[in-house]
Amino acid sequence: MTSSALPSSPYLVTALPASVDPAAERAAAYATEVADLLFNQLSEVLRRRAPELEPVLAGEIHRCAPELQARALQVLGIWLQLLSIAEQNAAMRRRRQVEAERGVEAVRGSMMQVIADAAAGGVAPAALRALLERLRVRPVLTAHPTEAKRVTVLEKHRRIYRLLVDLESPRWTPRERAALVQAVRHEIELLWMTGELRLEKPTVEQEVWWALHFFNETLFEAVPALHERLERALALYYPGERFAVPGFFQFGSWVGGDRDGNPFVTNETTRRSLYEYRLAALRRYRHRLAELIRRLSISERAVGVPEEFRRALERALEASGEGAAIAARNPGEVFRQYLSCMLRRLDATLAAAEQWELEAGPGGYRTADELANDLRLVERSLAESAGAELAASFVRPVRREIELFRFSTVRLDIRENTTKLNQGLGELWRLRTGSNEAPPEPRSEAWARWVQTELGRPRYEELRLSVLPKEAAESIGMFRLVAELREKLDREAFGSFVLSMTHSVSDILGAYLLAKEGGLFPDTLSVERCTLPIVPLFETIDDLRRAPAIMRELLQVPVVRRSLREQGGVQEVMIGYSDSNKDGGFFAANWELYKAQLKLTRLGEELGVPIAFFHGRGGSVSRGGAPTGRAIAAQPAGSIDGRLRITEQGEVVSFKYANRGTAAYQIELLASAVLEHSIKSGREQALMPVGEFDEAMEAISGASMAAYRKLVDHPMLLQYYQVASPLEEISLLNLGSRPARRFGARTLADLRAIPWVFAWIQNRHFVPGWYGVGSGLEAFFDVRGARGEALLRRMFEDSRLFRLIVDEVEKTLAQVDLDVARAFAGLHPDPTVRDTVFAMIEDEYRRTVAAVLRLSGASAPAERFPRFLRKLARRMPTINQASRLQIDLLRRYRAAESEEARGEALHQLLLSINCVAAGFGATG
């Protein structure tokens, strides 16, 4: 790839630690080359469209007049986005080069690599078959307000990425190459003329369309292909063995079903969301069937058609009502004829769906199973007549899509918090007891007895919702909606009910009771079992510590045990990375999450009920964001065992799934990491030096949490944080439909974890990603001396969890900028508040840097991660410009006296927030 003769970007820093990996060096050089090309095209666009802004790309934003600052920030934001595209393109190219030079099994995180290692390690085919039977991996797209880019912008980014892929080819003539470069420039020009900011807060419907963008662009195709790659790997490394690869990888979603703190998600909203998901799937299948009709032009004179298929074709032609016309249109082409009958039926289903009707039209497909079974017949018959390879190549991927995405695209979770649920239960208590008094406290014995009594009470008739207050009726109506749409739309339209802020067994049983009133107990008297999985979410440090005791009590409740048998025998538990971090700091949260999983896994083994985990991770390090493979490898041995759910939030979704190659790699990386952990887990469990390492983790965790709480509980922190960051202004950035606070209170305790993290990133403190770790390590060094240091060095080498924590803290420390942070602190007018809090942060920062480097042996933060440093160094000059401008804009916005001046400053301020978010690749 060559670029036009324009000056190189001043941001492409190359004076960084060298890598010993030649492939990584080539990739770094290529990333620089691509970034240079994009920089030159952006420069050309500015030269033509806004020459007065050229100094911005030269790193001289201070030369811009105040009236140009908004457009200057747009330039910086676009440049940071282009850098990200260049790096994604280079990373994909590097993976392809590794595969071409050393084979696909050399690509870390590929199915080939995992299965090759399993075969070399002597894993028996029978053990793999047993693992495949229980293998279930489900990323869950969430509606958390963390995506700062509009879908319109994402589409332009994708076109630029695809053009860069085209430019990799050496086959182009100079004229053709110049045309491709020109096309890149035109896309950048359109990006320049496109509004970056959402002018209004997105609706839930718009969030659903945002989620569906990724399915339409990449995921419908990528997920079935993953299953095919696993099949190929098994065939290659276990020749002669037969494996049945189930539909193990499916997507879940909270978009349209997450009611927790979002008043805009109502039952009607959820219904409309599922209609949209259904339409997306049906339209995709129509396209795929039409494609098969075009391609399978196989004449019956060329192959021997199985008799079973001929009889099925006769029935299909007769049922279609247009049999003669279909046969005349495709004479002798029996597969086309049968597929045409299928397409007619699918069109009837699609027509009904477009009218928002739940029932299929006359002759339409009532279920996804019917459609998949028809395709299975085509696949089987084609394999018998024309060859298994053709059937596997053309028909099987379509059949797999239908089995994986069904008539709902996703498995939609419903999520609500205990406060809202207990309010609804309180109204039910008043109705059943005839009392106007306040119901018992949710954690009281009286309340627990009432809930369990109601669960055991026969239900002879359906409760009339009109006798309940509106909110209580809505809560029960939510479960009735699940019952209705599962029956009429798709049996797998819903995943589970997630109960936020679970504090007790009664909270969980209360959800069972509302599910019962909603018609999700299928037995005649509604006392036997619930068909919808109820998933408790443990979020705070205290709740994580109580989780084993809560689950022990819950799993001994007969109706719960019966329900789990109905649902497949596995109890799912969700664990929250965000609130636990906000509660106890980075180190303590990771350790408490690890301990909770370990104890719950052992509890499941003891009680004979496997416990599967749903990880509520976010994009930033402090909310669980970490390299996928390493994060999964660091989970406790035995805690995954083939089953994993994990949230994918906001900017993480676009980073992983916006481009076809990246999407295919990311889902394979996730699936292979689950498979690898499950294969190795049993062997490693016996080798871990548990006692010594655990004791050290406990000691460091306690000291780090104490230091963190000292900051968070400081009486001056809230006023410092509100002024020395854009915390309040972030709520004006229209990222998502959900409010920044659950119940409208104005305290740190009630603030959602996402804006908590977002604002600390914006003011360059990054507190949630490292604060307290230095105190924890330093205390351990001081108390244990040389032997303690030797132990931590061994843990650094041998403990995946400890190493992951230290590595991610070190990378976060490299992103902190104390000079910029000090400038944000200067926004606070009170020197006592400003100096007191900032001094605490600065002291802990220096303590953490010293402790981490002492442990890792590096001379500077992130020195051990040259690729990360190179990426960071490219961005930092741009981010720093945006950050310093943001400080001035905060002053202007807060001091503005007229609405006009305030509005102008706000627009520029939000652009600066967008810009910094793009630079770090994370909001919350």
Side-chain angles (χ1 to χ4, degrees), residues 286 290 293-294 296-298 301 313 316-317 320-345 347:
R286 194 199 187 285
I293 291 170
R294 286 194 297 273
L296 295 185
S297 55
I298 298 170
R301 291 187 294 274
L313 175 59
L317 288 170
S320 73
E322 298 178 2
I326 291 172
R329 191 162 55 246
N330 303 288
E333 296 173 342
V334 290
F335 292 104
R336 273 185 166 174
Q337 290 176 21
Y338 192 82
L339 288 164
S340 295
C341 294
M342 289 178 60
L343 186 61
R344 187 180 181 280
R345 290 189 66 187
D347 279 341

Side-chain angles (χ1 to χ4, degrees), residues 2 11 163 217 268 325 402 471 502 633 638 777 864 892 906 912:
T2 57
Y11 304 129
L163 286 165
E217 290 294 332
E268 186 55 34
I402 293 161
E471 287 199 355
T502 299
L777 292 173
R864 299 178 293 120
R892 267 172 48 199
L906 176 62
S912 74

